[in-house]
Amino acid sequence: MSHLQQAEQSPDTERIFDADTKAMGYLPNYTRLFAHSPAVYLAWQQLNGAVKAEMELRRYELATLAAARALKSSYCGLAHGKLLRDKFFDAPTVAAIASEHGSADLSAQEVAVVTFAEKVATDANSVCEDDIAVLRGHGLDDTEIFRVILAVGARCFFSTVLSAAGAEPDPQYHDSLDEDLRRALSFGG
């Protein structure tokens, strides 16, 4: 499951295990990992839920997948690639987004968002006024741009924690994604 031993059971861990099992239909490996700090996990869920609630789901998922790719997070890549496949695109399109988003069937605005999200995840200090101007030129206002930044920031936290702890992607992704898409969404970590 991860580099860390499984956390001891407690009423708090049982609550998060029950809630995630009910929501997902199985107990994700990341939930087992966050059992080491249930309060942080619940705070992250609240933060990420607030970020996600303020964005169009498709944009949120594209920015999240871009961040996962930049961070080389296979776990998050598989999870969010699956969601993009289930709700918005076919498998070949998601694979194209994961490998070279400029060649995928995305609008010019979506390509700009994905490019920006990758830059934020890779080197946030290099983001400059010109990067913001590109997004404005594609019709995003400053609040929408800030929400993309928030989505990437939240993903950076979660992906970094999972990768550093060695959390393995859930085996359910093996069964629910075809081999080509799994390979495209497996970024190495």
Side-chain angles (χ1 to χ4, degrees):
M1 180 202 75
S2 79
H3 303 314
L4 305 177
Q5 298 289 323
Q6 198 159 3
E8 291 186 27
Q9 290 288 114
S10 72
D12 289 339
T13 62
E14 288 179 31
R15 276 192 289 282
I16 66 173
F17 285 5
D18 289 346
D20 282 6
T21 299
K22 187 179 286 184
M24 302 287 291
Y26 65 93
L27 183 60
N29 287 336
Y30 64 77
T31 308
R32 295 173 205 269
L33 177 64
F34 272 95
H36 287 284
S37 188
V40 170
Y41 181 55
L42 293 172
W44 179 83
Q45 284 182 314
Q46 186 175 10
L47 171 67
N48 196 55
V51 169
K52 191 174 177 180
E54 293 186 339
M55 290 182 75
E56 172 188 302
L57 182 60
R58 181 167 158 148
R59 181 179 294 157
Y60 169 84
E61 292 299 334
L62 287 168
T64 298
L65 182 62
R69 180 171 80 175
L71 298 165
K72 297 182 174 96
S73 173
S74 294
Y75 201 137
C76 292
L78 290 162
H80 293 278
K82 179 183 182 310
L83 201 148
L84 282 166
R85 192 231 28 217
D86 290 350
K87 295 194 179 275
F88 300 107
F89 303 103
D90 60 18
T93 301
V94 175
I97 294 166
S99 60
E100 181 46 56
H101 66 277
S103 68
D105 187 23
L106 298 176
S107 70
Q109 182 186 77
E110 289 172 328
V111 170
V113 166
V114 170
T115 301
F116 179 75
E118 285 182 342
K119 186 171 188 176
V120 171
T122 304
D123 186 6
N125 286 324
S126 71
V127 173
C128 63
E129 186 64 34
D130 290 344
D131 299 307
I132 304 300
V134 168
L135 292 175
R136 287 181 186 139
H138 285 286
L140 276 75
D141 64 29
D142 285 7
T143 299
E144 292 170 315
I145 294 167
F146 185 65
R147 289 176 178 156
V148 171
I149 294 167
L150 288 172
V152 173
R155 184 57 38 202
C156 287
F157 166 76
F158 201 71
S159 292
T160 300
V161 169
L162 298 185
S163 294
E168 295 178 13
D170 302 318
Q172 286 76 3
Y173 296 119
H174 188 271
D175 298 332
S176 63
L177 298 171
D178 67 59
E179 184 178 338
D180 289 340
L181 186 54
R182 274 195 322 272
R183 192 175 16 245
L185 295 170
S186 296
F187 302 128

